Amino acid sequence: MEQTVAFLKEYELLKVIIVAILLAVSVFIINFFIRKFFQRTDFIEERKEKTIESMIRSVTRYAATIGFILYIISLFVENFGSILAGAGVAGIVIGFGAQSLIKDILAGMFLIYEKQLHQGDFITINNTFNGTVEEIGLRSLKVREWSGKLLTISNGEIKQIHNYNIDRMRVIERVVTSFREDPDKVWTVLEHTCEKINQELEDYLKRDSSDTIIEPFHLFGITSLNANYRGYEYAIIGLVDDQHYWNAAKEARKIIAKALFDENILLAEERVSLSQSKKIST
């Protein structure tokens, strides 16, 4: 009898191992074919393909894990199928205290459905965290911060998203010059600078369906006559492709700085006024 019980236990253990292997292989095969499918097709944007692939990968992992857990429970609980059907899936989930899990999953589904972000987008979360989206999961979002740290945040905790990669981005560069600089001279220099930016950064500019540039770099105007009590503020703006936003902004700043230096235009400087009071004693 003892040998029979031991054999049955080993047999149950063998079934568990076989099921685990089958689930792992199934997840691998599904993800493998999904990845190959997107590699051989180009009917949707690459970032959207990566987003869908990331979501499918997350769904298959969770489905396999939950299925494996339920299978193990069924081995030790008699009539588990009847109990599961009678209690209802919703009742069991709530019984296990998974309200927060449901919240995270629903929030993740809405992130994808409403196209709020894609894998590879540079975003700001809750006005606190900045980084590039690495993985969009069913329960959480993984963002690689500028420092290299990987931030993992539950989807249900995301309240606000600033996405810098939704179709188009406007580069806005502000120049504050000294009050001593002639506005006409500065205006002329900045207009010529915009022409140079458009020539050197032409590939970065946003175009419409007819390949026409939508909004080239141009001098928007004087946006402040006394910016922070330091000088005149000018703004240069231009509409660029979202994928090239950071490079376009860096290169535009470099061109503007070189033009101001070559023309000996003074930028505004911080001025601190110190006053000394005398104490008169009687």
Side-chain angles (χ1 to χ4, degrees):
M1 178 62 75
E2 293 179 357
Q3 293 180 351
T4 304
V5 173
F7 175 78
L8 290 175
K9 290 182 179 179
E10 292 179 1
Y11 179 71
E12 294 294 341
L13 179 61
L14 180 61
K15 288 200 299 184
V16 171
I17 294 174
I18 292 175
V19 170
I21 293 175
L22 290 176
L23 288 174
V25 172
S26 300
V27 171
F28 175 80
I29 291 175
I30 293 173
N31 292 331
F32 175 80
F33 279 108
I34 291 296
R35 183 169 60 254
K36 289 297 181 181
F37 172 76
F38 285 127
Q39 287 177 353
R40 296 184 179 184
T41 57
D42 56 357
F43 57 90
I44 58 176
E45 189 180 349
E46 183 179 358
R47 286 184 303 171
K48 295 181 180 179
E49 291 180 351
K50 292 181 178 180
T51 302
I52 296 173
E53 182 181 345
S54 176
M55 178 60 70
I56 293 176
R57 187 165 56 247
S58 177
V59 170
T60 53
R61 285 202 307 262
Y62 278 108
T65 302
I66 294 174
F68 184 66
I69 293 174
L70 293 177
Y71 173 74
I72 293 178
I73 294 176
S74 68
L75 295 177
F76 299 97
V77 177
E78 295 182 0
N79 299 323
F80 180 70
S82 302
I83 296 175
L84 184 63
V89 176
I92 292 179
V93 170
I94 295 175
F96 280 103
Q99 293 91 339
S100 60
L101 177 61
I102 296 176
K103 177 182 177 182
D104 294 338
I105 292 175
L106 291 177
M109 293 175 63
F110 282 116
L111 284 178
I112 302 299
Y113 178 75
E114 296 177 356
K115 300 178 181 180
Q116 297 181 29
L117 49 82
H118 302 97
Q119 189 171 354
D121 288 352
F122 188 88
I123 63 174
T124 298
I125 300 176
N126 299 341
N127 283 325
T128 305
F129 306 106
N130 303 283
T132 304
V133 178
E134 282 206 354
E135 183 177 339
I136 304 174
L138 197 61
R139 192 190 64 83
S140 62
L141 179 69
K142 293 184 178 180
V143 177
R144 182 71 63 179
E145 295 184 320
W146 185 265
S147 62
K149 295 184 294 184
L150 182 64
L151 169 69
T152 301
I153 183 171
S154 299
N155 293 329
E157 298 298 322
I158 300 174
K159 306 299 181 184
Q160 187 181 64
I161 297 177
H162 291 164
N163 194 328
Y164 297 88
N165 295 100
I166 295 296
D167 188 40
R168 60 176 67 182
M169 284 291 293
R170 178 173 283 108
V171 174
I172 303 175
E173 295 300 332
R174 293 179 171 86
V175 178
V176 181
T177 65
S178 170
F179 290 117
R180 300 183 180 89
E181 293 295 340
D182 181 6
D184 288 336
K185 176 185 176 181
V186 176
W187 191 282
T188 301
V189 170
L190 292 181
E191 282 188 329
H192 291 161
T193 303
C194 290
E195 295 176 0
K196 185 175 182 180
I197 294 174
N198 290 325
Q199 292 175 359
E200 296 189 14
L201 306 183
E202 182 179 1
D203 294 338
Y204 294 163
L205 297 176
K206 184 68 177 178
R207 300 173 182 270
D208 58 19
S209 57
S210 61
D211 202 36
T212 301
I213 296 175
I214 299 176
E215 181 185 299
F217 281 89
H218 61 282
L219 181 59
F220 181 77
I222 299 178
T223 53
S224 176
L225 292 175
N226 195 5
N228 296 322
Y229 305 101
R230 295 190 297 129
Y232 304 126
E233 181 184 82
Y234 303 80
I236 292 177
I237 63 175
L239 202 61
V240 300
D241 191 281
D242 62 308
Q243 298 182 26
H244 304 298
Y245 172 76
W246 300 109
N247 289 332
K250 289 189 296 182
E251 293 298 325
R253 284 192 291 268
K254 179 180 178 181
I255 296 172
I256 295 171
K258 187 65 169 62
L260 295 174
F261 178 81
D262 291 341
E263 297 295 333
N264 296 318
I265 295 178
L266 298 177
L267 296 181
E269 298 179 359
E270 188 74 26
R271 294 195 297 270
V272 180
S273 299
L274 299 177
S275 60
Q276 183 178 3
S277 60
K278 295 182 179 180
K279 183 177 181 182
I280 302 176
S281 59
T282 59

